[in-house]
Amino acid sequence: MGKGGNTVTTTSQDIPGFIQDQVRQVFGEVENFRPSSNIVPQVAGFTPTQTTSQNLITNLATSNPLGTAKTALDDIVTGQFNVSDPLQRVLDDTISNTVNNITSQYSAGGRLGSDAFGTAIGEGIASGVAPTLANALESDASRKMSAIGMTPSLVSADLGLFGALSGVGTEQRALNQALLDRPAQSVAASNQANQQRINNLIAALGGAPTPTTTTQSKSPSNLDALTALALVASSDRRLKVDIKKIGTHSTGLNVYEWEWNAKAFVLGLDKHPRKGFIAQEVQKVFPEAVVEGSHGYLMIDYSKIKEVA
């Protein structure tokens, strides 16, 4: 057993009050942070302009704009023509002029009722009307073919206008959607800003210096340890069994370990330490440190045992 004790150095962290306040603040911020989710983004519907464009395109597609051109083309190919009003007037005028001319000729000769008059009328009408009809029909067919050729271009032009109208509607809808998104974006930005503020507080707290304090203490000597274990302990040999010497104290006294016997248990001494001196041996060296207890057994006052320097 050594004479003196060892020096023990203990380093501890002393957290200043202002850092403790910061810790409480950060935990409070985190605990109370409730991201808002009250505003749900809405979807903008079709604008009136888009609806108009959609209706026009639908109507154009369902009205079969090329159907009329196809019918006219079929009539031209099959030779089926309808005489238009202007053409009919030209034919009527031609027939009327032919009849008048022939009538005048045959009236002067007194032959209006003759067979030759009838034949002349027929031939005159045929020769006068046929070229006019043929030219008119050819011209009419030509105009129809020209119109038929222009039909796809007209349809394409209509589609272009409808597409432009749809583009205007798309821009209007985009603006409406942006206006609907603004409240949700504002809430999201606020949530993000609050989260960033908490992150900044946590980062600042993690970087705060934490002062440390160092304390030194002397470990108790063998005698101090025994004194701490039992200031006045029953150490009579008569109360112990299985006594084993485990060392020598700096005073020259032997140090033992033991078990308490049945009498010690009756006296309640089993709660006392099982290591120390034997009272009978201490009495020989430090008689003032040994007293007799009320139970009739020797006891040691360890505070009166002085170590030898």
Side-chain angles (χ1 to χ4, degrees), residues 58-80:
T58 301
N59 293 336
L60 180 64
T62 56
S63 64
N64 190 16
L66 299 178
T68 302
K70 182 177 184 301
T71 300
L73 184 61
D74 290 341
D75 291 343
I76 294 173
V77 172
T78 60
Q80 297 180 8

Side-chain angles (χ1 to χ4, degrees), residues 226-235 260 269 272-273 288-295 297-304:
L226 293 174
T227 302
L229 291 173
L231 182 60
V232 178
S234 296
S235 299
W260 298 107
L269 302 178
H272 290 191
E288 69 279 7
V290 179
V291 296
E292 184 177 331
S294 59
H295 45 52
Y297 292 95
L298 298 179
M299 303 174 63
I300 298 175
D301 185 350
Y302 281 91
S303 65
K304 294 181 179 180

Side-chain angles (χ1 to χ4, degrees), residues 223 249-254 277-291 298-309:
L223 180 59
H249 192 257
S250 60
T251 59
L253 295 171
N254 294 325
F277 301 141
I278 300 296
Q280 285 78 355
E281 293 181 359
V282 174
Q283 194 174 35
K284 297 176 182 179
V285 181
F286 301 101
E288 69 279 7
V290 179
V291 296
L298 298 179
M299 303 174 63
I300 298 175
D301 185 350
Y302 281 91
S303 65
K304 294 181 179 180
I305 298 177
K306 308 298 181 183
E307 285 189 280
V308 178

Side-chain angles (χ1 to χ4, degrees), residues 72-73 75-76 79-88 132-148:
L73 184 61
D75 291 343
I76 294 173
Q80 297 180 8
F81 299 98
N82 293 322
V83 178
S84 61
D85 289 341
L87 177 58
Q88 186 64 53
T132 301
L133 180 60
N135 291 333
L137 291 178
E138 183 178 357
S139 176
D140 190 50
S142 177
R143 286 194 301 271
K144 288 183 178 180
M145 289 296 293
S146 178
I148 292 171

Side-chain angles (χ1 to χ4, degrees), residues 233-245 254 256 258-261 263-264 277-282 284 297-300:
S234 296
S235 299
D236 197 307
R237 183 187 297 272
R238 293 171 293 173
L239 298 172
K240 304 172 181 178
V241 295
D242 296 332
I243 301 172
K244 298 177 183 178
K245 180 180 177 180
N254 294 325
Y256 300 92
W258 62 80
E259 297 293 333
W260 298 107
N261 61 19
K263 183 61 178 178
F277 301 141
I278 300 296
Q280 285 78 355
E281 293 181 359
V282 174
K284 297 176 182 179
Y297 292 95
L298 298 179
M299 303 174 63
I300 298 175

